[in-house]
């Protein structure tokens, strides 16, 4: 039987690719695949930790900027010792047959306009080695596909676009009574149109642009910030704390909004649409292609005037939906996402790639 390896910065509850790696663990375990997991840190209290053969690569004795390269170097020997046939790299490592691209450093620097430092050049060099040596690169969006081609010169034949999975049991609509109870829990008034802004990095996620677009509006709109506290609040900007069950935040809100400077995919958009809450996103967000037209409002990235016009259109449309229409979220969620979001389907696609790679070697 083929032995799969997964490399990630950690096996623990976190964001981004760490969360994705945990999805892979569950998907492969359900398929009966023997899985070795390589990481800097493990939360052994998690059920996922008992589904894998854990291999910890220690990096804490090194300065932070050297840890990534050390991990990649140590992983080469660790995977051989573990007898891994095909390695899936969910972090920057140069020995993975399948490289997961959930974002590129060159793309991030370009989008944010930041000049590269020495540590940035180290990250980019490691990325280049990973993409050069991998048999297949799985891009989590068409945006990532395009960055791989344009910024890294990757051969088209090496790239597969596979959107990341989302838990369909967790992210789903609820009935009107449950929704009203959630709105009361979060302190949302019946007349308020709530824009949920889930963020731990407000500048990068575009909070200043959203605030500028809402300034002086007569619409009954409240921006509900979930995650890290904003620098200031007001009658228009409200902090609702860290929302562990973010699906409840989506369900209680009227819209979910981001104005990110760089968002390689943006699971927030898909999760919200699956809960039946439409999204307001810049065209530069990777998940836009994965969300049906009826579930999204799209504006030009960085354009405050276009965002203001888009908000006006979205909110006016929402005000025409009477509260007596109890199934509006369920109806919106139907066919809102344009791909198979299941963990099982995603794991099957990766297993097919791994089987092909193993057969070719």
């Amino acid at each position: 039987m083929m032995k799969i390896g997964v490399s990630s910065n950690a096996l623990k509850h976190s964001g981004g690719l760490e969360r994705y790696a945990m999805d892979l663990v569950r998907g492969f375990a359900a398929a009966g695949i023997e899985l070795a997991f390589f990481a800097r840190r493990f939360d052994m209290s998690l059920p996922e930790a008992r589904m894998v053969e854990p291999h910890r690569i220690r990096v804490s004795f090194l300065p932070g900027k050297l840890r990534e390269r050390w991990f990649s170097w140590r992983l080469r020997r660790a995977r051989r010792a573990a007898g891994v046939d095909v390695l899936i790299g969910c972090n920057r490592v140069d020995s993975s047959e399948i490289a997961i691209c959930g974002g590129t450093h060159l793309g991030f620097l370009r989008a944010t306009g930041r000049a590269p430092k020495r540590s940035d050049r180290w990250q980019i060099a490691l990325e280049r080695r990973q993409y050069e040596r991998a048999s297949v690169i799985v891009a989590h969006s068409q945006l990532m596909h395009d960055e791989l081609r344009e910024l890294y010169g990757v051969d088209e034949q090496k790239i597969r676009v596979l959107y990341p999975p989302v838990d369909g049991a967790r992210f789903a609509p609820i009935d009107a009574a449950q929704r009203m109870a959630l709105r009361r829990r979060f302190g949302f008034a019946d007349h308020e149109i709530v824009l949920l802004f889930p963020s731990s990095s407000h500048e990068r996620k575009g909070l200043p642009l959203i605030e500028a677009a809402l300034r002086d509006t007569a619409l009954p709109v409240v921006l509900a910030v979930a995650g890290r506290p904003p620098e200031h609040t007001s009658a228009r900007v409200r902090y609702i704390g860290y929302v562990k069950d973010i699906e409840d935040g989506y369900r209680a809100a009227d819209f979910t909004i981001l104005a990110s400077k760089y968002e390689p995919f943006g699971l927030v958009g898909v999760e919200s649409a699956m809960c039946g809450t439409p999204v307001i996103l810049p065209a530069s967000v990777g998940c836009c292609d994965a969300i049906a037209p009826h579930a999204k409002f799209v504006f030009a990235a960085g354009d405050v005037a276009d965002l203001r016009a888009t908000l006006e259109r979205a909110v006016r449309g929402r005000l025409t939906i009477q509260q007596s229409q109890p199934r509006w979220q369920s109806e919106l969620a139907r066919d809102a996402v344009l791909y198979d979001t299941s963990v099982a389907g995603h794991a099957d696609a990766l297993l097919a790639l791994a089987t092909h790679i193993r057969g070719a070697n």
Side-chain angles (χ1 to χ4, degrees):
M1 180 183 289
M2 177 171 55
K3 186 173 183 180
I4 299 288
V6 171
S7 170
S8 177
N9 286 332
L11 180 59
K12 69 183 187 73
H13 285 303
S14 186
L17 286 178
E18 287 82 12
R19 174 178 167 181
Y20 170 74
M22 288 180 63
D23 287 338
L24 295 190
V25 169
R26 292 191 296 275
F28 289 139
I33 300 298
E34 183 181 6
L35 191 66
F37 199 100
F38 304 89
R40 306 177 188 187
R41 296 178 301 280
F42 287 84
D43 182 348
M44 298 308 295
S45 69
L46 296 175
E48 288 85 356
R50 296 187 290 275
M51 299 176 187
V52 302
E53 177 186 294
H55 297 268
R56 185 180 178 193
I57 297 178
R58 298 179 186 274
V59 299
S60 58
F61 63 94
L62 288 165
K65 291 175 181 173
L66 297 178
R67 292 175 181 177
E68 193 172 58
R69 292 192 294 171
W70 174 265
F71 183 96
S72 179
W73 179 71
R74 292 289 296 169
L75 177 61
R76 297 176 212 161
R77 182 163 56 181
R79 65 159 294 179
R80 287 196 300 269
V84 166
D85 296 302
V86 176
L87 178 68
I88 300 171
C90 298
N91 54 349
R92 292 188 189 96
V93 293
D94 60 12
S95 58
S96 58
E97 283 78 19
I98 299 176
I100 304 298
C101 178
T104 73
H105 203 61
L106 279 175
F108 166 75
L109 292 175
R110 181 173 68 175
T112 57
R114 183 162 71 76
K117 304 174 185 175
R118 182 172 62 173
S119 58
D120 294 311
R121 289 191 285 271
W122 289 344
Q123 292 178 62
I124 294 162
L126 183 52
E127 273 186 338
R128 289 192 186 279
R129 289 200 303 277
Q130 181 177 31
Y131 299 150
E132 288 167 3
R133 297 177 184 181
S135 300
V136 174
I137 304 167
V138 171
H140 275 177
S141 66
Q142 186 62 38
L143 174 64
M144 290 303 95
H145 167 281
D146 296 345
E147 286 187 6
L148 288 167
R149 294 285 293 125
E150 178 188 354
L151 302 179
Y152 294 81
V154 176
D155 190 319
E156 177 75 35
Q157 300 304 311
K158 288 182 71 168
I159 306 172
R160 303 289 186 277
V161 176
L162 287 177
Y163 297 128
V166 181
D167 185 348
R170 179 183 176 190
F171 297 100
I174 54 176
D175 64 35
Q178 290 173 302
R179 179 173 186 269
M180 292 309 296
L182 283 177
R183 286 180 70 88
R184 287 192 294 271
R185 187 182 111 194
F186 287 113
F188 302 154
D190 290 348
H191 73 279
E192 291 176 335
I193 299 296
V194 178
L195 310 176
L196 180 71
F197 179 69
S199 168
S200 59
S201 180
H202 300 335
E203 181 74 22
R204 186 171 67 84
K205 300 288 184 179
L207 180 56
L209 188 79
I210 298 170
E211 289 179 309
L214 291 175
R215 196 168 294 129
D216 301 325
T217 182
L219 296 171
V221 172
V222 170
L223 184 69
V225 179
R228 185 171 61 81
E231 289 186 5
H232 59 271
T233 58
S234 65
R236 185 76 68 190
V237 179
R238 186 179 304 165
Y239 180 54
I240 61 171
Y242 176 78
V243 182
K244 183 178 180 182
D245 298 323
I246 192 62
E247 62 272 24
D248 287 341
Y250 297 138
R251 292 161 176 158
D254 296 281
F255 299 93
T256 298
I257 187 168
L258 290 177
S260 307
K261 293 181 179 179
Y262 185 68
E263 200 73 58
F265 184 72
L267 279 171
V268 162
V270 173
E271 291 169 352
S272 180
M274 289 172 67
C275 288
T277 298
V279 294
I280 301 171
L281 302 171
S284 57
V285 171
C287 71
C288 279
D289 293 339
I291 300 173
H294 73 271
K296 67 185 177 185
F297 294 85
V298 180
F299 63 94
D303 188 331
V304 67
D306 195 39
L307 173 54
R308 186 178 293 117
T310 302
L311 284 167
E312 180 88 16
R313 185 171 69 255
V315 172
R316 294 295 182 198
R318 177 70 186 93
L319 290 171
T320 65
I321 299 176
Q322 300 301 314
Q323 295 295 330
S324 60
Q325 294 179 271
R327 294 185 58 81
W328 72 270
Q329 281 189 315
S330 296
E331 291 167 1
L332 185 137
R334 189 180 304 120
D335 301 322
V337 178
L338 304 176
Y339 71 100
D340 177 6
T341 61
S342 70
V343 172
H346 193 86
D348 286 347
L350 289 180
L351 285 174
L353 289 175
T355 302
H356 177 77
I357 290 167
R358 189 188 185 200
N361 291 339

